[in-house]
Amino acid sequence: MYINSNTVLFGRTILLVPYGKHHVKKYHTWMENEEIRELTASLPLSIDEEYEMQQTWLNDKDKCTFIILSKEIFDRTHDETVTGRHKGYGIETLYTFIRYAIEILNINRFIVKIGLKNLASITLFTTKFHFLTIQTSEIFQEITMERHVDNEFIDLLHTKTPNYKIDFYNNIITNKKV
């Protein structure tokens, strides 16, 4: 996250902002949900461990972590209310983040590991992003898929992210409530 510690990504309905200390409490509340932990292959952490993890991610040069905000709410209130699930932001977030990863981080191959029970995510990655299965592990109950970056993929991302913009996080936090 070190590389994106002062980066905000703009989409049509979402903002992706660096995962800060002020987001931890809400994030921790979500991660107490067993279904979310299963879908994200996460272990339960105490609130103190969550704060430690946020600091670890902040300083790690190999991680890039964003929190999803509702652009509408932020534009109206400047409040960094972390958005909930099932609001329709997931697909736009993926298009936006993948475009950032290609253009700024120079990623040329994406690999995802998804639990076999998470059919919604498997369907999303195969139908919307054209990921291909490279391995299925019955032991770990997960599927591994990949997508190489090519011109077709880049064109898709540009088509799906017409409002894509990058700015400095410090530029948007003037007068905001945290």
Side-chain angles (χ1 to χ4, degrees):
M1 193 162 112
Y2 183 78
I3 193 167
N4 74 302
S5 62
N6 190 31
T7 301
V8 60
L9 304 179
F10 291 80
R12 186 178 59 77
T13 64
I14 51 107
L15 295 174
L16 301 181
V17 299
Y19 179 36
K21 282 184 182 179
H22 55 287
H23 300 121
V24 171
K25 201 178 274 187
K26 176 77 172 210
Y27 179 83
H28 177 70
T29 301
W30 284 344
M31 296 309 287
E32 288 180 321
N33 181 297
E34 190 175 334
E35 179 188 8
I36 292 174
R37 282 198 315 272
E38 183 178 321
L39 292 173
T40 59
S42 301
L43 297 172
L45 299 176
S46 69
I47 188 73
D48 291 335
E49 291 170 321
E50 210 70 77
Y51 277 106
E52 288 175 30
M53 187 66 70
Q54 182 274 329
Q55 283 298 296
T56 300
W57 290 347
L58 175 66
N59 297 309
D60 193 322
K61 292 182 187 332
D62 294 328
K63 294 204 177 19
C64 188
T65 308
F66 288 97
I67 293 293
I68 307 164
L69 304 180
S70 163
K71 188 172 182 288
E72 178 187 355
I73 293 172
F74 186 84
D75 285 348
R76 192 175 63 244
T77 67
H78 288 285
D79 187 1
E80 286 196 35
T81 302
V82 180
T83 187
R85 296 170 66 205
H86 305 296
K87 303 281 187 189
Y89 300 133
I91 186 93
E92 184 181 4
T93 297
L94 283 169
Y95 284 126
T96 302
F97 179 75
I98 290 173
R99 180 171 174 180
Y100 172 80
I102 292 168
E103 293 179 359
I104 303 302
L105 305 177
N106 299 311
I107 303 298
N108 57 27
R109 178 177 169 232
F110 293 88
I111 297 175
V112 295
K113 291 186 178 201
I114 303 171
L116 292 176
K117 293 180 182 176
N118 190 345
L119 298 179
S121 289
I122 293 169
T123 300
L124 173 74
F125 279 96
T126 56
T127 62
K128 300 289 187 187
F129 296 98
H130 310 287
F131 274 62
L132 300 174
T133 300
I134 57 174
Q135 183 179 18
T136 302
S137 171
E138 296 299 328
I139 294 171
F140 293 108
Q141 288 293 293
E142 67 184 17
I143 186 170
T144 304
M145 297 186 289
E146 74 175 348
R147 178 64 160 97
H148 290 273
V149 175
D150 56 22
N151 289 336
E152 179 185 333
F153 195 37
I154 291 169
D155 289 346
L156 171 71
L157 295 171
H158 282 255
T159 300
K160 296 294 187 178
T161 57
N163 299 90
Y164 176 82
K165 182 178 105 174
I166 302 174
D167 200 351
F168 293 108
Y169 181 63
N170 291 342
N171 289 345
I172 70 157
I173 58 172
T174 307
N175 299 321
K176 79 171 181 70
K177 301 172 189 173
V178 180

